[in-house]
């Protein structure tokens, strides 16, 4: 597995903290050359200096060309990790359209744009690795987070499409789908996250280790919380029963609020 990333050119978006920073540190520890991307230039620089990488701050949707230049012309691994989440103002209340637009742009279209830039080179070489930080919300749906749930479903579907379309041409794709992870984003989920995610939340480093196990085993779906597989199977086997259970949690949340 170390050979798969040794001296590889790796880009991690949203790497100024949380899961992204953990991924950047883990790749660097494995001998990769890492570009650290984040909207916050100061945070990107701090992580890059810590790991001996290169900071390329800015919008994750437009980082590929500058990151490629920083890596000497080739990106071997791209980690589409940057994401945003918005909690509804009230239980059952809709989000404003601006929040939806930002969610689509960051959680889905940034992945699409990166793949558009990277695929020609990867397909020509017959090798490339695309890592999508999705979330269990992309498999199961999260109460109180409509735009996050919907766009993370989209991110997961795009990762699936990349894998089924290009795996025979050398592209390896991994979709990371954790539940709660102790990051600023978890804190931003508010009371819904506290109810559903806090009790089983894990550290960002555990997510990075799960990805590396998945790389070693050549697995598409990475589940840092293994129980998510059972929830996903239950959802598929009996959607009505699953929705009733989730609605029970929704009502519990509404009562608490």
């Amino acid at each position: 597995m170390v050979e798969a990333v040794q001296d590889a050119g790796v880009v991690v978006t949203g790497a100024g903290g949380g899961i992204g920073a953990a991924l950047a540190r883990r790749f660097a520890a494995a001998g990769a050359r890492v570009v650290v991307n984040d909207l916050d230039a100061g945070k990107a620089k701090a992580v890059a200096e810590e790991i001996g990488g290169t900071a390329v701050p800015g919008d994750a949707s437009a980082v590929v060309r500058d990151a490629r230049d920083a890596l000497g012309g080739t990106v071997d691994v791209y980690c589409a990790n940057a994401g945003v989440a918005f909690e509804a103002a009230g239980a059952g209340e809709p989000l404003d359209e601006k929040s939806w637009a930002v969610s689509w742009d960051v959680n889905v279209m940034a992945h699409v744009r990166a793949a558009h830039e990277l695929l020609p080179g990867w397909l020509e070489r017959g090798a490339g690795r695309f890592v999508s930080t999705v979330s269990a919300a992309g498999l199961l749906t999260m109460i109180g987070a409509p735009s996050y749930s919907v766009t993370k479903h989209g991110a997961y579907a795009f990762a699936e499409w990349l894998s089924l379309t290009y795996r025979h041409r050398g592209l390896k794709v991994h979709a990371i789908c954790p539940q709660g992870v102790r990051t600023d984003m978890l804190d931003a989920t508010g009371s819904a996250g506290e109810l559903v995610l806090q009790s089983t939340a894990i550290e960002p480093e555990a997510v990075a280790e799960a990805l590396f196990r998945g790389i070693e085993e050549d697995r598409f779906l990475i589940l840092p919380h293994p129980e998510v597989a059972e929830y996903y199977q239950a959802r598929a086997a009996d959607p009505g029963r699953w929705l009733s259970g989730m609605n029970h949690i929704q009502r519990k949340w509404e009562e608490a609020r």
Side-chain angles (χ1 to χ4, degrees):
M1 178 269 295
V2 174
E3 291 77 9
V5 299
Q6 179 74 40
D7 201 41
V10 179
V11 180
V12 186
T13 67
I19 294 174
L23 292 175
R25 293 183 182 109
R26 188 63 182 84
F27 275 106
R33 297 171 292 114
V34 183
V35 162
V36 179
N37 164 259
D38 200 276
L39 272 177
D40 188 317
K43 290 182 177 180
K45 182 179 179 181
V47 174
E49 289 179 348
E50 174 193 337
I51 66 173
T54 304
V56 180
D59 190 332
S61 286
V63 70
V64 172
R65 293 183 185 182
D66 289 343
R68 185 189 286 127
D69 290 343
L71 291 169
T74 302
V75 174
D76 300 298
V77 182
Y78 187 88
C79 298
N81 173 77
V84 294
F86 299 96
E87 184 184 20
E93 292 185 18
L95 281 178
D96 60 273
E97 289 201 12
K98 181 179 179 181
S99 297
W100 275 100
V102 172
S103 296
W104 277 112
D105 194 65
V106 177
N107 294 347
V108 181
M109 292 309 300
H111 299 205
V112 174
R113 295 181 187 114
H116 179 78
E117 290 279 349
L118 292 162
L119 277 170
W122 283 349
L123 297 179
E124 182 179 353
R125 296 198 307 272
R129 193 179 299 272
F130 191 94
V131 179
S132 177
T133 301
V134 179
S135 165
L139 300 174
L140 303 172
T141 302
M142 174 63 185
I143 65 167
S147 66
Y148 186 75
S149 296
V150 171
T151 56
K152 287 300 186 177
H153 273 73
Y156 183 77
F158 183 64
E160 277 192 328
W161 181 85
L162 284 176
S163 182
L164 67 88
T165 303
Y166 297 114
R167 62 170 45 209
H168 66 294
R169 299 181 64 181
L171 178 61
K172 296 184 180 297
V173 182
H174 308 280
I176 310 174
C177 296
Q179 292 193 106
V181 182
R182 296 188 183 98
T183 65
D184 291 343
M185 185 174 286
L186 178 59
D187 294 338
T189 61
S191 57
E194 184 174 351
L195 175 64
V196 178
L197 303 174
Q198 285 284 5
S199 64
T200 59
I202 60 176
E203 297 298 331
E205 291 74 18
V207 178
E209 289 302 326
L211 171 62
F212 268 64
R213 289 194 298 272
I215 291 174
E216 184 174 11
E217 297 167 7
D218 196 23
R219 282 188 284 108
F220 168 77
L221 183 57
I222 311 297
L223 297 177
H225 294 81
E227 61 269 27
V228 170
E230 298 177 12
Y231 304 154
Y232 192 41
Q233 290 172 349
R235 175 179 179 267
D238 192 342
R241 182 176 181 181
W242 180 81
L243 286 168
S244 292
M246 290 299 292
N247 180 251
H248 175 76
I249 297 173
Q250 171 74 19
R251 286 182 282 132
K252 185 177 180 180
W253 177 52
E254 291 180 10
E255 291 168 3
R257 287 168 67 94

